[in-house]
Amino acid sequence: MRAPIGNFDTALPAPDALDRLTAPVAAALRDWQGKTPADRIVYVDTDPQWADTAVFVKHYGAELLERSANCVVVAGKRGGETTLAACLVLSTTKADVNGVVRRQLGARKASFAPMDTATGETGMEYGGITPIGLPDTWPLLVDSAVVELPYVLVGSGRRQGKLLVPGEVFAELPGAVVIEGLGIG
């Protein structure tokens, strides 16, 4: 199969690549309940040596820079309680953690979660965290610009491999809240 965006040697429907994904991502695809069929989500094999964004887009396609999104885990704190959440923003922006995210979580303080917390709580590798397969109890804050794209390149749960996902899928995921202006300049 040919990938809908980018230039990848290996592309296949994600449900056919469950053995290449982390357990939470594979489980989410196996038990898929979304309106968009799971086989529209595409797994593409990538080399971790080209993981740096500038090198990645040079190797796999310059158009991917504008069609990629980063998923980051954040921690909101209020009154001694911590709420973990994920934010999905275009890779050309950064999540407004101290403004939009903090207010959305009702937190006094919000920051990026420590790496060991992010990987331990998601069951995914650092640098490969993806919205598909996150804990169902977490808020998933999604920038509206991501949802508007026909296909978006995101992590696969591992450093090797990526997922190409129709933008509309992110609004269908458990805990998803679509927010205009989540990603800033």
Side-chain angles (χ1 to χ4, degrees):
M1 113 180 269
R2 178 156 168 69
I5 58 173
N7 303 308
F8 301 94
D9 293 333
T10 302
L12 51 147
D16 295 342
L18 299 181
D19 61 327
R20 300 176 188 213
L21 304 169
T22 58
V25 178
L29 289 167
R30 192 178 307 106
D31 302 332
W32 189 254
Q33 299 291 318
K35 182 178 76 171
T36 303
D39 62 3
R40 289 207 39 226
I41 300 169
V42 178
Y43 171 85
V44 292
D45 195 31
T46 60
D47 192 324
Q49 76 174 346
W50 294 314
D52 176 69
T53 302
V55 177
F56 187 90
V57 298
K58 184 176 181 182
H59 186 77
Y60 293 111
E63 77 278 9
L64 294 173
L65 184 62
E66 302 293 326
R67 298 178 185 182
S68 299
N70 293 326
C71 184
V72 296
V73 177
V74 296
K77 297 180 182 179
R78 181 178 199 91
E81 296 211 9
T82 300
T83 300
L84 294 176
C87 299
L88 186 65
V89 297
L90 294 176
S91 61
T92 54
T93 66
K94 295 181 181 188
D96 184 4
V97 175
N98 292 315
V100 174
V101 173
R102 182 183 57 76
R103 286 189 298 275
Q104 185 68 33
L105 297 179
R108 287 186 62 124
K109 180 181 178 188
S111 60
F112 294 104
M115 180 173 56
D116 60 334
T117 300
T119 58
E121 295 291 326
T122 63
M124 301 179 202
E125 295 176 4
Y126 190 74
I129 294 175
T130 187
I132 296 173
L134 289 172
D136 288 349
T137 57
W138 285 16
L140 170 59
L141 311 181
V142 182
D143 190 284
S144 60
V146 174
V147 175
E148 294 168 6
L149 290 174
Y151 269 91
V152 183
L153 176 92
V154 294
S156 67
R158 291 204 159 113
R159 297 258 317 146
Q160 181 171 354
K162 300 283 185 186
L163 296 176
L164 304 176
V165 183
E168 64 199 18
V169 164
F170 299 114
E172 301 172 11
L173 294 175
V177 178
V178 178
I179 302 171
E180 190 168 338
L182 176 63
I184 54 176

